[in-house]
């Protein structure tokens, strides 16, 4: 095992460990990492000596901050297309994780955003700690939640997922559990001991039981206390009406949410709301990933992605110049283009997946 590899693999007991190993980049995913994780899962699935898979992130800062946004920014600026190849394989990996036949355990410690959510929140046993900060921050960079994010957020109670998608807010452990993004809270100081205990599990059925022994009630989150106005405001049919309801709710936190949303890409906001609503009507994660591939490929060709990454990641002036700059300038026809079929470039996951119902 080369400790400079971006993905480290080893087996402890009967647990196959996958460690994302780019700590200086907060374990951001690139194409080679996605392919290596997928290969590791294929091997673990066929290996009868492997009971479960455990994914963690190297370093102290988090599991994974998302995809390698700088590379995507450079690709988009150059008019390339390697990012679309990356997303194709990344979304296939997300689907593989969700359908993996053995327990897939994700330790969502520290920062878990974007692509980091994709390699963790579709798993069977999702563990958060007091350090967890989980988000789908795409609207802030002129992009749309992907990696199955619209599937996960669309399934959150009430309109909590809509709130998180539009504001791009990060949540801690308590709210991650509330929103269905995680399953168990384990204090960070117990993670090493938990990992050792998992290695002793001889059967898949013992994994969940072992995690429960180390789990405890999570610290209180913030969203439950705000669910009434969140549900009332975000059930509106348009971003403009959501903002109007937030502004006129008389709730300071709602007004702050409106201000947060207004700083995001108008196009990304409208496409994101439509994507969430559509995701709720689709019958599988695979169908949602197919939809997200369409929105991602279209967003890649639009100016807001390059500008958003420039403002937030490259220059860090936090002053993106969105195009168009106003919600009123983004028409329904503009939004519909993001969901248009891609012809022979479709991801096509749903066509190869059938429910057993």
């Amino acid at each position: 095992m080369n400790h400079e590899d971006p993905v480290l693999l080893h087996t402890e007991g009967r647990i196959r460990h996958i460690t994302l190993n780019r700590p200086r980049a907060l374990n951001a995913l690139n194409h080679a990492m996605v392919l290596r994780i997928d290969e590791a899962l294929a091997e673990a699935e066929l290996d009868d000596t492997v009971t479960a898979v455990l994914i963690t992130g190297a370093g102290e800062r988090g599991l994974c901050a998302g995809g390698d946004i700088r590379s995507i920014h450079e690709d988009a600026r150059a008019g390339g297309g390697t990012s679309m190849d990356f997303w194709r394989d990344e979304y296939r990996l997300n689907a593989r994780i969700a359908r993996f036949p053995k327990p897939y355990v994700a330790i969502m410690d520290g920062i878990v955003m974007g692509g980091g959510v994709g390699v963790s929140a579709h798993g069977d046993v999702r563990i958060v700690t007091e350090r967890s900060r989980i988000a789908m921050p795409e609207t802030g960079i002129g992009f749309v939640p992907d990696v199955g994010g619209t599937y996960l957020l669309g399934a959150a109670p009430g309109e909590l997922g809509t709130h998180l998608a539009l504001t791009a807010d990060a949540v801690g452990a308590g709210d991650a559990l509330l929103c269905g993004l995680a399953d168990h809270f384990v204090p960070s100081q117990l993670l090493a001991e938990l990992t050792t205990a998992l290695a002793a599990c001889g059967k898949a059925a013992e994994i969940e039981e072992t995690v429960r022994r180390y789990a405890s009630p999570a610290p209180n989150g913030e969203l439950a206390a705000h669910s009434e106005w969140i549900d009332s405001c975000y059930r509106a049919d348009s971003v403009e009406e959501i903002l109007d309801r937030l502004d006129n709710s008389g709730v300071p936190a709602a007004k702050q949410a409106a201000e947060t949303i207004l700083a995001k890409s108008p196009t990304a906001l409208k496409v994101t709301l439509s994507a969430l609503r559509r995701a709720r009507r689709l019958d599988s994660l695979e169908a949602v990933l197919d939809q997200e591939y369409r929105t991602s490929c279209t967003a890649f060709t639009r100016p807001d992605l390059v500008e958003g990454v420039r403002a937030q990641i490259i220059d860090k002036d936090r002053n993106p110049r969105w195009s168009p700059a106003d919600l009123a300038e983004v028409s329904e026809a503009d939004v519909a283009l993001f969901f248009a079929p891609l012809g022979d470039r479709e991801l096509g996951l749903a066509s190869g997946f059938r429910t057993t119902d």
Side-chain angles (χ1 to χ4, degrees):
M1 180 172 62
N2 184 347
H3 290 280
E4 293 183 357
D5 289 344
V7 177
L8 302 178
L9 304 173
H10 77 279
T11 301
E12 185 176 352
R14 300 188 66 179
I15 306 298
R16 189 62 166 160
H17 287 248
I18 300 174
T19 304
L20 308 183
N21 188 41
R22 295 182 68 203
R24 291 182 181 178
L26 229 167
N27 301 318
L29 294 170
N30 57 33
H31 201 166
M33 293 169 72
V34 164
L35 294 175
R36 188 68 188 100
I37 298 167
D38 189 74
E39 181 183 8
L41 291 180
E43 293 169 354
E45 182 174 344
L46 297 175
D47 189 341
D48 291 338
T49 68
V50 172
T51 296
V53 167
L54 174 68
I55 189 165
T56 59
E60 300 296 323
R61 297 164 62 200
L63 172 66
C64 175
D68 191 336
I69 295 298
R70 288 178 180 269
S71 295
I72 293 171
H73 176 264
E74 292 169 6
D75 187 30
R77 284 190 65 193
T82 59
S83 297
M84 288 177 269
D85 295 332
F86 164 63
W87 289 323
R88 179 177 293 275
D89 288 326
E90 184 182 25
Y91 301 172
R92 286 173 173 169
L93 173 61
N94 302 145
R96 180 190 280 276
I97 290 169
R99 307 298 174 193
F100 195 65
K102 299 177 181 181
Y104 182 99
V105 183
I107 295 184
M108 303 169 73
D109 186 34
I111 293 174
V112 186
M113 296 185 178
V117 173
V119 296
S120 58
H122 297 300
D124 304 291
V125 183
R126 304 163 301 173
I127 298 163
V128 285
T129 75
E130 75 283 356
R131 303 186 298 206
S132 296
R133 298 299 295 169
I134 300 170
M136 294 301 295
E138 287 75 13
T139 56
I141 58 167
F143 200 51
V144 181
D146 65 336
V147 298
T150 59
Y151 178 86
L152 294 164
L153 294 177
E159 295 296 334
L160 295 178
T162 309
H163 171 69
L164 295 181
L166 297 184
T167 61
D169 282 351
V171 296
D175 286 328
L177 292 166
L178 173 66
C179 292
L181 301 173
D183 305 299
H184 303 285
F185 172 81
V186 176
S188 60
Q189 68 266 26
L190 297 180
L191 291 178
E193 188 178 334
L194 168 62
T195 300
T196 300
L198 288 172
C201 293
K203 298 179 180 178
E206 298 172 10
I207 298 294
E208 180 79 22
E209 179 183 340
T210 300
V211 172
R212 288 185 181 277
R213 288 207 313 269
Y214 287 86
S216 59
N220 290 331
E222 301 175 5
L223 291 179
H226 297 294
S227 61
E228 185 175 350
W229 65 259
I230 286 175
D231 289 349
S232 175
C233 295
Y234 286 95
R235 70 167 58 104
D237 292 329
S238 69
V239 177
E240 291 92 336
E241 187 179 349
I242 287 172
L243 289 168
D244 184 64
R245 292 187 184 188
L246 290 170
D247 272 328
N248 293 295
S249 67
V251 179
K255 190 169 184 63
Q256 178 59 52
E259 294 174 3
T260 298
I261 292 169
L262 280 170
K264 313 305 181 189
S265 159
T267 301
L269 288 171
K270 287 200 170 183
V271 176
T272 294
L273 181 62
S274 182
L276 283 167
R277 300 292 192 255
R278 291 167 182 250
R280 288 174 175 171
R281 298 193 295 269
L282 295 173
D283 62 1
S284 67
L285 170 63
E286 285 77 5
V288 175
L289 288 165
D290 285 346
Q291 173 177 278
E292 290 178 349
Y293 189 68
R294 293 178 178 180
T295 61
S296 295
C297 288
T298 304
F300 182 76
T301 67
R302 302 304 170 90
D304 277 3
L305 177 58
V306 169
E307 174 60 11
V309 176
R310 179 207 65 77
Q312 302 295 342
I313 308 297
I314 307 298
D315 297 338
K316 298 182 180 180
D317 59 30
R318 308 291 192 264
N319 187 32
R321 295 179 290 274
W322 304 122
S323 179
D326 297 313
L327 285 163
E329 298 177 63
V330 183
S331 69
E332 291 184 9
D334 294 331
V335 173
L337 288 174
F338 282 76
F339 300 92
L342 299 173
D344 59 6
R345 295 189 298 119
E346 291 278 15
L347 183 59
L349 282 174
S351 62
F353 171 76
R354 297 290 182 269
T355 64
T356 57
D357 294 339

